[in-house]
Amino acid sequence: MSNAIAGILLAGGSGSRFGGGKLLAKLADGTPVGLAAWRALKTSLPDPIVVVRAGDRDLAALFEAAGARVVECADAAQGMSRSLVAGIEAAGSCGGWVIALGDMPFVRSDTISAVAAAVAGGALIALPAIDGARGHPVGFASRLKPELLEISGDEGARSVVRRHADQVRVIDTRDRGILQDIDTRDDLAARR
């Protein structure tokens, strides 16, 4: 088993509150939301996996053109947990995972690196916080794989984090990007 930490970008949502195509929408600098999130992950972890909904060819093509390893999730409509499971399964044997969200393009790469380093250093779960508010991405050690593969719904891995609350390593940061997601067109406009 490799001790490397794998990066997984969850990009399998439908973006319904946004009106569709959220991760293709452009930030102020012209970069698509999803691509900005992937670039930060790629800067910190080699060869991160991007999980997209099966059939979302435009989004898959965007990531593939950038050189990303894309995995299609056939049951992404059942919630974020299915995309997370697809990413973990695609990652194969590794020391753990840093799970990032495609609609969070402002997370700094040094924050991602700190989460990955905490997991590589023995943390069961690691996540960043600013002024006491916890954010993303979240890192998980590989020994949580059986639990992660059992999650369901659109809550992602929150139940796993709650179950192991006393073993979460919180990394204090000044990175406001850990809390800034793009859910609606107003969110995007506010960050331009």
Side-chain angles (χ1 to χ4, degrees):
M1 173 166 126
S2 168
N3 287 330
I5 305 301
I8 300 172
L9 184 72
L10 302 182
S14 66
S16 59
R17 285 187 284 168
F18 191 85
K22 172 172 65 173
L23 300 186
L24 296 169
K26 296 201 172 35
L27 298 169
D29 68 359
T31 304
V33 169
L35 192 58
W38 175 77
R39 285 178 177 163
L41 191 60
K42 180 157 178 51
T43 298
S44 305
L45 295 164
D47 194 30
I49 296 164
V50 180
V51 183
V52 301
R53 276 185 333 280
D56 192 345
R57 287 308 314 147
D58 291 340
L59 188 59
L62 172 76
F63 286 118
E64 288 166 351
R69 180 177 166 202
V70 176
V71 172
E72 290 193 10
C73 179
D75 55 357
Q78 294 179 23
M80 184 190 311
S81 62
R82 302 322 309 153
S83 294
L84 192 148
V85 168
I88 288 172
E89 288 175 341
S93 181
C94 60
W97 312 271
V98 172
I99 310 298
L101 305 179
D103 66 354
M104 296 190 73
F106 305 112
V107 177
R108 296 188 327 226
S109 58
D110 62 313
T111 300
I112 297 167
S113 295
V115 170
V119 173
L124 184 65
I125 299 171
L127 52 79
I130 183 167
D131 299 328
R134 292 178 174 195
H136 290 276
V138 180
F140 297 93
S142 61
R143 62 186 185 269
L144 287 173
K145 185 174 185 174
E147 288 182 54
L148 291 167
L149 293 179
E150 292 297 318
I151 61 175
S152 62
D154 202 34
E155 194 172 81
R158 284 187 198 144
S159 62
V160 176
V161 174
R162 279 193 301 268
R163 214 170 11 257
H164 300 283
D166 61 334
Q167 297 177 64
V168 174
R169 183 170 306 164
V170 177
I171 301 162
D172 290 319
T173 181
R174 304 300 330 142
D175 182 358
R176 296 217 168 271
I178 69 166
L179 303 175
Q180 297 175 337
D181 61 345
I182 307 282
D183 283 330
T184 66
R185 292 191 184 276
D186 287 343
D187 292 340
L188 182 61
R191 290 176 176 71
R192 285 190 173 209

